[in-house]
Amino acid sequence: MIVMKFGGTSVADATAISALASAVADARADHPLVVVSAMSGVTDTLVAITAAMLHGEHLAVSAAREALRDRHLEVASDLGVMEQVHADLEAHLERLGTLVTDRRELTAAGRDAILGTGELLSSCLVAAAALADRGMPAVWCDARRVIRTDARFGAAIPDQAAIRQLAAQELRPHLDAGALLVTQGFIGATATGEPTVLGRGGSDFTAALLGAALDAERVEIWTNVSGLMTADPRIVPDAHVLAEATYDEAAELAAFGAKVLHPATQLPLVEAGIPIVIRNTFAREAPGTRIAAETATNAPQSVRSISIKRGVTVLQVRAARMLGAFGFLRRIFEVFERHEIVVDVLATSEVSVSLTVDPSPRLEQVVRDLAELGEVTLREHRAVIAVVGGAIRDTPGIAARVYQAIADVNVEMTSQGASTSNLTFIVREEEGPRVVRALHATFFGGPT
Ligand code: ADP
Ligand code: ASP
Ligand code: MG
């Protein structure tokens, strides 16, 4: 069997869902399990609803809910499946209505239940469309019965052993009976049945978790580009699609801004060596990008792709006391651990530590705690640029070419060598796109 995951743009409207159904029909012989995201923009709307709830903006909440209802019913009508899905859509919308009008304070669990509604709605439409259009009987499965997570609401951690067992119980019998299964990405539930979500963009991760649990032949991520590219095509219009990449390269790119893949996607798949293939719902003839432990051919250059993560904050702690002292780094990192702040890029000198973090309201307290250890500076609106390629560390001259390409840019911090496949550095956010274009021209040709 294979897993086919379709992202937000692949379920955005009736045309997209028809393209999806064609892709699934083409893959019928591979026994697909279909995982879908919410329609594009819907999770953002649900996030906005929770924000409006916190501000007591009841009118905005009900207007947004009505808009969601209209959009889904319209697509159901366009697909000609209203009769099959109307009751199910209304049931999910009614549940959303109860959640958003709950007069008690919005809890973290309540918020996750709201955020997961988009996938419940879109999966109903997809299951019905597959059935109606192509004579493929689809079975709708509730992912919350399979994707068991902890109770870290907002970005819950999956329990892979439990998921394997639940998939065997809930999904395997349907697959064995030859049914086409349609389920939701992004959502899960705790052992006590409280709904959770895996974090933004988490549907890719769901696909991988199910692929690993069901020993899939491969996990296909269907999206609106024809694969992993040499750079984000929105920044570099002449970026091109890569035929292949390694798990490590894909993970580094995803961690540093390549939105096409959730950063955790490869994690459940590496051990079993299950490949990921990125495909384009709207260009089904394109072969896509195959991501696996090893690539068959190596690109002529060791640089595979360049990514950018914007909106990063850089913290620097300087302390003369650090010179020759031990235990200093531990004390710094304890502060981040205590406040549950994830550190991305790190560089150290004898007397200072620089690191990047995502913006968070908790940073204020972090800075206060760090100030007890040394002099702290905080710089916001930075971008991490990652030059990624499996052989970067072992290829002479890459760093020289990088710095030559961006000689006129102030590089504020650099980290290389911690990973064999990554050279990262920090620039001011507004310079980021220009830097990516200059690097792309250097390593892949084309206009600067
Ligand atoms: P989906 O909704 O299908 O999950 P996403 O919007 O999450 O799709 O991811 C696809 C988008 O990722 C593309 O439209 C593209 O703009 C962006 N992207 C960023 N970096 C890359 C890259 N290196 N290769 C391909 N796409 C990229
Ligand atoms: N719908 C979710 C989001 O927008 C999950 C996903 O698209 O992968 O974050
Ligand atoms: Mg995505």
Side-chain angles (χ1 to χ4, degrees):
M1 60 86 58
I2 64 170
V3 176
M4 299 177 84
K5 176 261 168 177
F6 293 88
T9 46
S10 302
V11 293
D13 51 30
T15 314
I17 294 179
S18 298
L20 172 162
S22 300
V24 173
D26 291 348
R28 205 63 183 100
D30 291 328
H31 306 288
L33 161 67
V34 177
V35 176
V36 299
S37 295
M39 288 184 179
S40 56
V42 166
T43 311
D44 289 338
T45 302
L46 294 164
V47 170
I49 285 180
T50 60
M53 285 171 70
L54 289 174
H55 295 117
E57 296 162 2
H58 305 299
L59 283 178
V61 170
S62 48
R65 190 170 71 91
E66 271 313 300
L68 285 181
R69 180 168 186 270
D70 291 348
R71 180 168 172 196
H72 286 87
L73 290 181
E74 189 181 321
V75 174
S77 151
D78 291 348
L79 286 166
V81 297
M82 187 65 95
E83 212 174 297
Q84 298 95 301
V85 294
H86 190 253
D88 290 337
L89 291 181
E90 289 292 6
H92 292 305
L93 288 160
E94 206 177 299
R95 171 97 189 102
L96 176 65
T98 317
L99 287 164
V100 299
T101 49
D102 197 335
R103 298 220 173 268
R104 283 165 302 178
E105 202 184 329
L106 178 64
T107 62
R111 186 171 188 272
D112 278 19
I114 292 170
L115 296 190
T117 307
E119 272 71 9
L120 292 168
L121 293 168
S122 64
S123 58
C124 290
L125 290 168
V126 168
L131 182 72
D133 253 27
R134 332 266 150 163
M136 294 182 287
V139 176
W140 184 92
C141 295
D142 190 334
R144 294 169 297 187
R145 296 175 66 88
V146 181
I147 303 295
R148 170 72 54 81
T149 72
D150 69 4
R152 226 175 277 230
F153 295 103
I157 311 286
D159 175 347
Q160 286 196 60
I163 292 171
R164 197 177 176 83
Q165 206 183 341
L166 291 165
Q169 215 170 290
E170 300 280 333
L171 306 177
R172 180 66 75 190
H174 294 293
L175 291 169
D176 288 347
L180 173 66
L181 290 183
V182 176
T183 192
Q184 309 79 34
F186 186 51
I187 65 174
T190 63
T192 53
E194 286 200 276
T196 54
V197 296
L198 299 180
R200 294 306 304 269
S203 293
D204 302 330
F205 193 22
T206 303
L209 290 163
L210 293 176
L214 292 162
D215 303 312
E217 262 166 65
R218 62 181 180 278
V219 171
E220 296 184 349
I221 304 292
W222 289 76
T223 181
N224 60 352
V225 286
S226 293
L228 192 58
M229 301 175 79
T230 46
D232 185 340
R234 287 172 299 189
I235 296 173
V236 183
D238 61 335
H240 60 259
V241 174
L242 298 163
E244 47 181 10
T246 64
Y247 290 128
D248 284 348
E249 289 168 338
E252 294 284 353
L253 289 167
F256 293 109
K259 196 186 164 218
V260 65
L261 212 57
H262 183 278
T265 312
Q266 85 293 345
L267 288 178
L269 303 173
V270 170
E271 204 183 329
I274 300 170
I276 303 166
V277 185
I278 302 180
R279 299 284 304 268
N280 190 342
T281 308
F282 309 100
R284 295 197 298 283
E285 68 292 346
T289 304
R290 186 175 188 279
I291 298 164
E294 281 176 9
T295 53
T297 54
N298 244 318
Q301 287 153 336
S302 48
V303 173
R304 189 85 68 183
S305 179
I306 297 152
S307 65
I308 173 170
K309 182 176 171 188
R310 290 180 247 216
V312 165
T313 298
V314 177
L315 278 173
Q316 188 183 49
V317 189
R318 284 178 63 84
R321 278 181 293 143
M322 207 172 135
L323 191 65
F326 43 80
F328 201 81
L329 286 176
R330 179 178 55 78
R331 295 208 330 256
I332 289 181
F333 281 105
E334 268 170 3
V335 174
F336 290 94
E337 189 182 354
R338 198 160 56 238
H339 296 287
E340 298 190 352
I341 297 277
V342 177
V343 172
D344 274 336
V345 183
L346 172 72
T348 59
S349 78
E350 275 297 341
V351 292
S352 73
V353 179
S354 291
L355 38 82
T356 68
V357 293
D358 289 337
S360 154
R362 293 194 298 263
L363 281 183
E364 230 174 89
Q365 190 55 48
V366 167
V367 169
R368 237 173 280 152
D369 290 1
L370 289 174
E372 288 171 19
L373 303 173
E375 180 194 329
V376 185
T377 50
L378 180 146
R379 281 168 288 160
E380 293 175 308
H381 309 297
R382 290 331 195 235
V384 183
I385 310 286
V387 179
V388 173
I392 281 190
R393 196 170 62 183
D394 304 322
T395 310
I398 302 268
R401 290 178 70 193
V402 166
Y403 291 120
Q404 201 173 6
I406 56 164
D408 61 334
V409 175
N410 184 27
V411 173
E412 298 189 349
M413 171 182 159
T414 307
S415 170
Q416 185 191 8
S419 141
T420 50
S421 57
N422 200 348
L423 188 161
T424 46
F425 55 91
I426 314 298
V427 298
R428 299 175 71 86
E429 193 170 72
E430 62 268 24
E431 304 210 272
R434 179 167 75 89
V435 166
V436 173
R437 283 191 284 271
L439 291 171
H440 195 272
T442 294
F443 290 105
F444 305 105
T448 52

